[in-house]
Amino acid sequence: MPASNRVIGFIGLGIMGRPMALNLVNAGYPLAVYARRPEASRPLADHGANVYPTPAGVAAHADVIITMVSDTPDVEAVILGDQGIASGAKHGCVVIDMSTISPAATRRFAEALASRQIDMLDAPVSGGEQGAIDGKLSIMVGGKTDVFERMLPVFECLGKNIVYVGPSGAGQVAKACNQILVAQTIAATGEALLLARAAGADPVRVREALLGGLAYSKILENHGQRMLDDNYTPGFKSKLHLKDMRIALEAAREAGVQIPGADRTLTYLDTLVEAGQGELDSAAIARMVWGRDSLD
Amino acid sequence: MPASNRVIGFIGLGIMGRPMALNLVNAGYPLAVYARRPEASRPLADHGANVYPTPAGVAAHADVIITMVSDTPDVEAVILGDQGIASGAKHGCVVIDMSTISPAATRRFAEALASRQIDMLDAPVSGGEQGAIDGKLSIMVGGKTDVFERMLPVFECLGKNIVYVGPSGAGQVAKACNQILVAQTIAATGEALLLARAAGADPVRVREALLGGLAYSKILENHGQRMLDDNYTPGFKSKLHLKDMRIALEAAREAGVQIPGADRTLTYLDTLVEAGQGELDSAAIARMVWGRDSLD
């Protein structure tokens, strides 16, 4: 079926969802949209999307329904709640949740939808607002392989690095792995720059030297520079990184494994958010490592 | 002065030192060499290097003396010990220590040499045996800037990413920062792959997905693959990484800063070495994170 015949429902038109939905419109898909705040739908309506007052309304008119909302309870409400997707969806449609939520809850939602002959993929992303605007998100997908393959043309409008990682929930697990690795690399970069400065080397030059070798990471490159500039404009907000770390630690607990480095970094994020700095980019984890606001 | 007129002394012809010395010979420098084990000098002698029975003997015939030995006490013995460099060196020569040792001890050695009108640079490297063979080491240099600039042609025979990072000892500080960042990124990668497997995602695909985004690091690429292959052929031996972590933690203590992530990773390395696995590549930190030998 050509793109233009398959209607895509899009629920959640925030910082990430809006540019993603626009990329689908620009690719030629007819869109059915819903947003909790009506004004969030306007830019899509201006591009010809049909706006519905409930997720059920969107679902009744769509072949594929993408959700991009804030947290596990929001996804649950949008899929299984009163006037949710499940109450309106056509048999044979596919739900793709691109939010970052709990893997265990994801499996539960997928089972509830399966009992209504609705397939679900979990497909969280990384790459941030700029990645969403540019259609260059990384997308980590869990669910049935045949459903993944059918949905690939949709994913290709949204991202560049699209990887199938396993059955239902596995996409969320991959995202959790991403977030614990990123958080710990931020904290370790903070320690390295702290040691450099305290022990008498120039942290600007140390970062430069380390970028040329085995210590290279995108975090040292991007977040290391933010630390040196003392500039924590997000980027990715600490309060959202904290939410994601809680999901990861809960998944580890359920799976019966210990990830103490991630646990310690969650504490840094928790302290940061409790101190009222949850709007700062999560590179500000370094401030918790330093025990002060800057390297100076 | 053209390369061929300036004699370079080279002390320490092990896995790293030998290929580095060969690159200097190939660049046209006459070499004077010393190795604790006489047979280690043979490949250099075959290429025309003059072999001397003591560091003092090397120093008496060289304008620049490079040391590449195992640890702080070895550098101390070679520079300040009986028949050491200090007892034989010509006024105005330059000592370049490329070993990885204590920054505080480095400053002490540099001061002792300065009192004899001998300049010293600390210039530890990263990039391993292959980097040494290819002349593509990263070199982190501490000392006086004018001495660094005079020695740049020598460094350019050995490495590609050559960065001046500050006064005497700063090169060793930069190397310590490199080692704590690498060790922690290894541990965090181990946690990410553990969570992936335990929570039902394919760790091979999760690594692949994460490589395409913000979580990219050379450690995830190289050491992550070693973990998945269960192949810990060094590479860089755990016992040497442990030595370097001890240097870093000592430097942090002296500078009055806390680096708890590095401290925890030192404990992993210590446990690994105590278990008789010090010869394994330090990617085997992951085994300590997992509490078992493999992900399976």
Side-chain angles (χ1 to χ4, degrees), chain A:
Chain A
M1 172 168 13
S4 57
N5 290 339
R6 189 188 254 171
V7 176
I8 298 186
F10 208 106
I11 294 171
L13 299 167
I15 288 175
M16 295 295 288
R18 189 192 319 194
M20 292 167 71
L22 283 170
N23 282 332
L24 292 167
V25 169
N26 292 336
Y29 286 106
L31 242 60
V33 305
Y34 165 81
R36 206 159 34 180
R37 296 173 303 114
E39 67 274 21
S41 303
R42 193 145 328 128
L44 275 300
D46 292 345
H47 281 78
N50 288 315
V51 181
Y52 294 91
T54 64
V58 167
H61 295 86
D63 305 293
V64 175
I65 303 140
I66 295 174
T67 53
M68 189 63 177
V69 296
S70 293
D71 203 350
T72 308
D74 306 297
V75 175
E76 178 151 29
V78 156
I79 294 181
L80 300 177
D82 190 36
Q83 296 297 314
I85 292 168
S87 67
K90 300 186 276 187
H91 279 205
C93 82
V94 176
V95 172
I96 306 175
D97 178 36
M98 304 189 77
S99 322
T100 296
I101 68 165
S102 153
T106 293
R107 287 186 282 264
R108 191 158 53 78
F109 303 155
E111 281 163 21
L113 289 170
S115 71
R116 292 171 161 88
Q117 280 76 53
I118 301 168
D119 281 309
M120 176 174 166
L121 299 175
D122 46 302
V125 304
S126 85
E129 183 180 4
Q130 197 59 51
I133 292 168
D134 299 341
K136 291 186 177 170
L137 294 166
S138 284
I139 309 179
M140 296 151 263
V141 189
K144 292 186 198 157
T145 50
D146 63 309
V147 180
F148 167 70
E149 278 156 22
R150 266 163 48 216
M151 293 300 116
L152 206 45
V154 175
F155 289 133
E156 284 168 347
C157 301
L158 304 171
K160 287 291 169 220
N161 182 45
I162 302 154
V163 183
Y164 176 82
V165 289
S168 180
Q172 295 296 350
V173 170
K175 179 68 186 279
C177 295
N178 189 79
Q179 298 304 73
I180 67 169
L181 188 46
V182 164
Q184 291 184 75
T185 311
I186 292 171
T189 297
E191 286 194 6
L193 297 180
L194 175 66
L195 178 59
R197 169 63 56 92
D202 178 347
V204 171
R205 288 169 184 266
V206 168
R207 170 179 163 280
E208 189 190 329
L210 270 50
L211 283 175
L214 195 56
Y216 175 87
S217 67
K218 285 210 191 295
I219 296 298
L220 178 63
E221 186 170 10
N222 299 326
H223 295 60
Q225 189 60 53
R226 286 176 207 172
M227 293 174 204
L228 293 170
D229 293 343
D230 200 25
N231 180 355
Y232 301 101
T233 308
F236 183 64
K237 291 178 181 175
S238 294
K239 66 180 186 183
L240 295 177
H241 208 154
L242 175 60
K243 181 211 85 176
D244 294 356
M245 293 298 284
R246 290 206 165 113
I247 289 169
L249 268 295
E250 186 196 343
R253 204 159 37 238
E254 287 166 0
V257 294
Q258 303 279 326
I259 46 173
D263 213 358
R264 191 172 44 83
T265 319
L266 183 150
T267 304
Y268 286 138
L269 281 162
D270 199 26
T271 309
L272 192 65
V273 171
E274 284 298 310
Q277 312 213 298
E279 301 292 318
L280 296 185
D281 186 83
S282 71
I285 287 172
R287 290 185 168 181
M288 301 297 105
V289 172
W290 302 338
R292 55 180 189 265
D293 277 359
S294 82
L295 269 178
D296 298 315

Side-chain angles (χ1 to χ4, degrees), chain B residues 2-39:
Chain B
S4 57
N5 290 340
R6 189 189 253 170
V7 176
I8 298 187
F10 208 106
I11 293 172
L13 299 167
I15 289 175
M16 295 295 289
R18 187 192 318 193
M20 291 166 70
L22 282 171
N23 282 332
L24 292 167
V25 168
N26 292 335
Y29 285 106
L31 240 62
V33 304
Y34 165 81
R36 204 157 42 177
R37 296 173 304 114
E39 67 273 22

